[in-house]
Amino acid sequence: MTRYVALGSSMAAGPGITPRVPGSPRAAGRSARNYPHLVARTLGLDLVDVTYSGATTAHVLSESQRGAPPQIAALDGTETLVTVTIGGNDAGYVPMLFAAGLPRAVRVIPLLGGRIRELLDPSARYVALTEAGGALIEVGHEIRRRSPQATVLFVDYLTLLPETGAAPPLREPQLSLGRHMAATLQQLTADAARATGCGLVRAAEASRAHHAWSSEPWTIRFGFPRPRRPAPLHPNAEGMRAVADLVVAAV
């Protein structure tokens, strides 16, 4: 069999990287040049891409997302390869960075301001990270249960932030919080892979010199979304190609 199922959130879906997968939900932001599509073409696999922007581990395991079934339902046991990039939305990682880049005046807007303040609250992010760790392990176990013969690879997040220095308009202490969240998500993903007998593709490590503020970025720095452009604080086409190469090497 040559069936490949790709699970995950926007970091795997590739919102704004044209072209969009024909017939896919617009809200999914599923690019025909995301790393699952590139891997499938390179290895000659039959791809089932159910990645969906905004997905959490709950959307992988049990919850519908905008009418789409839980992503795990795509597994039927005949898979040769399964990849999964998930966990950041559980922790609020990219939403926190986006909130950090907004003007301070936005924080006093009713309702919206409360959500922004919650995203920027370190204590809330630490609790969310702790919960994400257990959820990632559950994802690994369930994929293994449903696809016992497949190569299963956790693919962690491309590096968004420089290890040191400025990343305007993001400010301290939110920049430090973002670095802590990125490092913790990287470790939690590695822990989940090890605990569940899955492989690990270390995209974060491979992309440290290609953060969004670098001269050769694999991700997009903070900004506001523009049509037919890669989403801010997400992979660009070069980043997707780099991740695809890492996945192919791991397989």
Side-chain angles (χ1 to χ4, degrees), residues 177-239:
L177 176 59
R179 290 178 176 126
H180 170 77
M181 293 184 73
T184 304
L185 284 167
Q186 182 181 353
Q187 186 61 56
L188 292 174
T189 304
D191 292 346
R194 182 172 55 255
T196 59
C198 299
L200 176 64
V201 176
R202 300 178 184 273
E205 183 177 300
S207 58
R208 293 202 191 284
H210 298 279
H211 59 81
W213 281 262
S214 70
S215 60
E216 296 182 354
W218 289 353
T219 50
I220 304 297
R221 63 180 63 185
F222 176 86
F224 291 94
R226 292 188 291 171
R228 302 180 63 81
R229 296 290 182 89
L233 301 172
H234 281 80
N236 58 23
E238 291 77 14

Side-chain angles (χ1 to χ4, degrees), residues 88-184:
N89 289 321
D90 293 57
Y93 173 46
V94 169
M96 186 282 293
L97 292 178
F98 194 84
L102 294 173
R104 289 182 180 273
V106 176
R107 300 181 195 179
V108 300
I109 297 174
L111 299 180
L112 177 60
R115 172 57 176 158
I116 291 173
R117 290 192 296 274
E118 192 271 340
L119 283 169
L120 297 177
D121 178 5
S123 296
R125 295 307 101 224
Y126 298 155
V127 170
L129 282 167
T130 299
E131 294 172 349
L136 283 165
I137 291 174
E138 187 177 354
V139 166
H141 279 311
E142 185 61 16
I143 295 172
R144 269 268 159 253
R145 186 183 73 81
R146 295 192 182 217
S147 301
Q149 305 304 318
T151 296
V152 181
L153 299 174
F154 275 92
V155 183
D156 65 16
Y157 283 24
L158 286 168
T159 296
L160 288 170
L161 301 173
E163 292 186 85
T164 59
L170 305 182
R171 300 173 294 272
E172 296 286 356
Q174 287 79 28
L175 193 53
S176 292
L177 176 59
R179 290 178 176 126
H180 170 77
M181 293 184 73
T184 304

Side-chain angles (χ1 to χ4, degrees), residues 7 35 74 80 85 161 218 236-237:
L7 313 173
Y35 80 73
T80 297
T85 299
L161 301 173
W218 289 353
N236 58 23

